[in-house]
Amino acid sequence: MVYLRHILMYKSMRKFVNHLQSALYNILQNKSYSLFCILGTAFTFIFITFLVHFGAAVSGNYPPSVNDGRIISLGMFTDIDGNMVGALSPEEQKLLLEQQTGEYENYSIRSGNDNITNVAMNESYFTTYVIFVSSGFWQLYDFDFVAGRPFTEEDVGGKKRCAVITKNLSKAKFHTVNSVGKKLEMDRNEYEIIGVVDNFSLMSSPTGAAEIWLPYVFNNSRSTSILSIMFPDYTNMQQAGMKTAELVRKIFETKGKQLRIDNYITADKEKNAKTHNLLAGNGLGIGLGIFLFLLIPSLNIICLNMANTRNRAEEIAVRRTFGASRASSFVMILFENLLITLTGAIIGLIFAKPFVIFIQNLF
């Protein structure tokens, strides 16, 4: 029995080697066809990975914007005629929060525009994005700190000149991840780095491509401030949006301005809800996208494979003449396609992460 088992294993291994040799020979003989199939499979895997990553980011389930579904952000407003009337002033923001006391969990204030500023770090001068935020910003958004800590209300109240930077910026300028205690200079003012955040997806970043965050009390520009209010998990966001809209409308009415604000408050909530249902809830959006990315390359490969098989009809006929069965001819073609697909899948998996990083840096 043992001898018979060894014979069967030897024959199976011999068949496998023969199929492998035949597949490699045919792949090398049909370079254009093979290259197209390999690249098509690789790109399919890359785009599917990107689609899953994108879906996780925009659905609000991807750091740092994990709480998007329960955050209402108030920026610029227009009146009923479509004319820009500005944003809430600091005093009006304080009034709005006082009228919602006990109903919200936390809030943050940040500069509404990216401040492109010249910065000096470690004897290096460069231009980058700087955002001014309040201490509550770090409670609303889930940034992962690889070194140090975020600035607190005590830091802001004491007007401590502190800063939080990204890991990439820390490595580029100080050649280390932990640059806590180092200094940066901006607008002739020196700030101490007290925290370094890990890399994050720009697709889910609340402040875009910003690399430096400073306390909002040092914002001397006239950029619009955005008030973001985070409500508890159990909050009915539709009701919270309607109440917030009514409070904002009353504040502007005291200045003789009638707002059209439904699109600025309730639409934000609806967008989050629709995105969540589409991508995070039942996965329909992602599933459909993945299906299309699989279907189109598959149809192309099937059509090319049918054409390739017709071109090899004489070869298959000769094999049949010398005793090869239909099953053997089918397994030969199947093995060849599996080898091509596996090669493309491995290439796609290798380049998926660099591609996603490239897209994030591009935007």
Side-chain angles (χ1 to χ4, degrees), residues 309-329:
T309 304
R310 290 193 191 97
N311 292 335
R312 295 170 57 186
E314 293 183 4
E315 173 196 342
I316 296 172
V318 171
R319 288 175 59 86
R320 293 295 306 279
T321 302
F322 282 92
S325 63
R326 286 187 177 180
S328 174
S329 301

Side-chain angles (χ1 to χ4, degrees), residues 64-338:
S65 296
V66 295
N67 299 314
D68 268 1
R70 54 194 185 105
I71 292 177
I72 292 177
S73 294
L74 309 175
M76 296 290 290
F77 295 98
T78 57
D79 61 20
I80 56 177
D81 297 321
N83 301 315
M84 194 71 65
V85 295
L88 294 171
S89 67
E91 294 76 18
E92 291 167 342
Q93 291 176 350
K94 183 179 179 181
L95 175 62
L96 177 67
L97 292 171
E98 288 175 351
Q99 292 173 333
Q100 290 190 323
T101 300
E103 298 182 13
Y104 65 89
E105 184 175 311
N106 214 321
Y107 74 93
S108 76
I109 301 172
R110 70 177 190 269
S111 52
N113 301 322
D114 292 338
N115 297 275
I116 305 176
T117 311
N118 293 321
V119 178
M121 296 175 65
N122 196 23
E123 299 182 353
S124 173
Y125 297 89
F126 59 99
T127 300
T128 188
Y129 290 101
V130 177
I131 294 291
F132 296 90
V133 299
S134 65
S135 59
F137 176 81
W138 307 108
Q139 279 71 55
L140 267 65
Y141 301 100
D142 187 26
F143 287 89
D144 183 19
F145 279 78
V146 296
R149 61 175 179 83
F151 42 81
T152 63
E153 189 61 36
E154 289 74 20
D155 296 324
V156 176
K159 293 193 174 181
K160 179 180 179 180
R161 292 192 177 274
C162 50
V164 173
I165 68 173
T166 63
K167 184 173 77 171
N168 284 343
L169 185 60
S170 180
K171 291 172 67 175
K173 302 304 177 183
F174 296 107
H175 311 292
T176 179
V177 171
N178 188 355
S179 57
V180 173
K182 305 289 186 181
K183 308 290 184 181
L184 68 87
E185 185 178 332
M186 191 186 79
D187 296 334
R188 298 182 180 179
N189 292 310
E190 192 174 68
Y191 298 83
E192 179 185 351
I193 298 171
I194 65 170
V196 180
V197 297
D198 200 1
N199 297 332
F200 54 90
S201 172
L202 297 184
M203 299 174 190
S204 60
S205 170
T207 54
E211 296 184 292
I212 300 174
W213 295 267
L214 302 177
Y216 194 79
V217 290
F218 300 115
N219 182 21
N220 297 320
S221 68
R222 295 183 178 179
S223 62
T224 302
S225 63
I226 295 177
L227 172 65
S228 296
I229 308 172
M230 183 171 72
F231 293 84
D233 282 326
Y234 55 81
T235 303
N236 184 318
M237 290 305 295
Q238 183 175 6
Q239 293 180 2
M242 292 173 63
K243 180 175 180 179
T244 304
E246 187 60 30
L247 291 174
V248 173
R249 184 181 288 110
K250 288 180 179 179
I251 289 174
F252 275 90
E253 281 179 353
T254 61
K255 299 186 292 186
K257 298 176 181 177
Q258 300 227 343
L259 296 189
R260 178 185 177 187
I261 61 175
D262 292 341
N263 292 334
Y264 292 89
I265 296 179
T266 58
D268 224 13
K269 174 267 304 179
E270 289 169 2
K271 178 183 176 183
N272 288 332
K274 288 178 182 177
T275 303
H276 187 273
N277 290 334
L278 181 63
L279 297 175
N282 53 23
L284 179 61
I286 293 177
L288 180 61
I290 291 176
F291 174 75
L292 292 175
F293 274 122
L294 286 173
L295 178 63
I296 296 172
S298 297
L299 290 175
N300 286 334
I301 291 175
I302 290 172
C303 293
L304 285 172
N305 187 48
M306 291 175 63
N308 185 52
T309 304
R310 290 193 191 97
N311 292 335
R312 295 170 57 186
E314 293 183 4
E315 173 196 342
I316 296 172
V318 171
R319 288 175 59 86
R320 293 295 306 279
T321 302
F322 282 92
S325 63
R326 286 187 177 180
S328 174
S329 301
F330 173 76
V331 170
M332 178 191 70
I333 296 173
L334 179 64
F335 195 86
E336 178 183 332
N337 284 299
L338 286 175

